[in-house]
Amino acid sequence: MANSKYEYVKSFEQSDALLPHTWIVIRVDGRGFTRFAQVHGFQKPNDEQALHLMNECATAVLEDIPDICFGYGVSDEYSFVLRKNSTLFQRRASKLVSIVVSLFSATYVMKWGRYFPGTEMQYAPSFDGRAVCYPSDTILRDYLSWRQVDCHVNNQYNTCYWSLVHSGCSPAEAQNVIKGTLADFKNELLHTRFGINYNDLPAIFRKGSLVFKRKDENIVKVENGVPIKRQKTMVVVSHEDLIKDSFWKENPSILGSANSKKANLRSAALTEKDAETSAFKNGSEMMMEVHS
């Protein structure tokens, strides 16, 4: 097809392709979620239903985008990991971030009623996103460990703060009690004053949520007394320690290449479709802009 005289405007576009052969982490954050939580009456310090809703959104992302092999979430944020060899959408940051954020946000709105059936959404939630490349498995694990440590530190502080507030302290008084204190002091405060053993709190609060794909064997049918098994890949949500080596040893396929073949095929198909859409957009028959 002949080129349009207006095609010169493409020269203003800048490449935003991310570094090849690196892990890509897309981090999704709730925008203004302190106010959103207040308006919608979220429980403090943790609203378990709100966390389950976030996990459902993350599950939808992993089910829809095979190149994403892992997700870690806490509070109103989620980090999604794309495989090092992913070529999805030519690794364009704007494309990857916008797709993940929009899918996550849309799922949040669609599934809201399942987790908050008696609460009408007062206004639309929104999330922002960023993409960062990490060159090695070690650095990627350090990033995820950082987020889980942050989960523990924030949850321990918030548990103390809101326990004090609920017991009658003003916000300023509660802050003064725990300001600058160490973990041992906070644990002792919770135990002696409120009868709370921090380690007995639900793991989803203390450790956050891990979302990943796991292969399970299911019995499809029985023939001549012999069970016929098939492997099925499921997206699972767990709340465990990802800082220690044990989790990664038990789930080697997350950082390995065992599951990458299928993801690469899907990635190639999406890339080819994206290229076709781009070619169509450049045609002189276009009467309006088409967004892929």
Side-chain angles (χ1 to χ4, degrees), residues 5-206:
K5 69 176 183 178
Y6 305 111
E7 190 176 1
Y8 77 93
V9 299
K10 288 183 60 181
S11 64
F12 292 93
E13 298 179 9
Q14 295 186 1
S15 173
D16 63 346
L18 297 167
L19 287 172
H21 309 299
T22 58
W23 296 102
I24 299 174
V25 172
I26 298 176
R27 183 170 160 187
V28 177
D29 269 306
R31 175 175 171 267
F33 254 62
T34 298
R35 176 174 175 265
F36 186 87
Q38 291 174 345
V39 169
H40 294 91
F42 284 11
Q43 295 182 15
K44 298 293 185 180
N46 295 289
D47 191 301
E48 191 164 358
Q49 289 301 103
L51 295 176
H52 288 316
L53 174 55
M54 292 286 291
N55 292 341
E56 175 135 357
C57 296
T59 299
V61 171
L62 263 73
E63 289 177 342
D64 189 77
I65 306 175
D67 287 47
I68 294 179
C69 60
F70 187 76
Y72 176 75
V74 53
S75 185
D76 63 340
E77 75 168 57
Y78 241 103
S79 296
F80 296 101
V81 180
L82 276 83
R83 296 188 180 280
K84 294 177 73 172
N85 58 0
S86 173
T87 57
L88 183 63
F89 300 118
Q90 296 83 49
R91 297 175 71 90
R92 286 180 290 163
S94 57
K95 191 82 170 182
L96 294 170
V97 171
S98 61
I99 287 175
V100 171
V101 172
S102 61
L103 175 58
F104 194 95
S105 301
T107 306
Y108 195 95
V109 174
M110 288 182 62
K111 302 297 184 180
W112 172 266
R114 175 180 296 179
Y115 296 93
F116 296 95
T119 304
E120 182 178 354
M121 186 175 284
Q122 299 301 306
Y123 63 92
S126 61
F127 296 84
D128 62 50
R130 73 199 75 174
V132 182
C133 294
Y134 296 102
S136 68
D137 296 3
T138 299
I139 297 178
L140 173 65
R141 283 187 54 182
D142 284 348
Y143 167 81
L144 295 169
S145 298
W146 169 52
R147 300 318 304 142
Q148 189 165 63
V149 169
D150 202 54
C151 169
H152 160 69
V153 171
N154 288 335
N155 183 67
Q156 188 182 50
Y157 179 93
N158 289 332
T159 302
C160 290
Y161 173 83
W162 284 105
S163 295
L164 289 166
V165 170
H166 293 328
S167 70
C169 290
S170 68
E173 290 171 339
Q175 288 177 352
N176 288 333
V177 171
I178 55 179
K179 182 179 180 181
T181 61
L182 300 178
D184 288 345
F185 175 88
K186 296 183 180 72
N187 284 335
E188 185 65 20
L189 171 69
L190 291 173
H191 179 67
T192 58
R193 191 161 174 177
F194 304 105
I196 298 174
N197 185 330
Y198 181 79
N199 291 326
D200 291 339
L201 294 176
I204 189 174
F205 301 158
R206 295 180 291 109

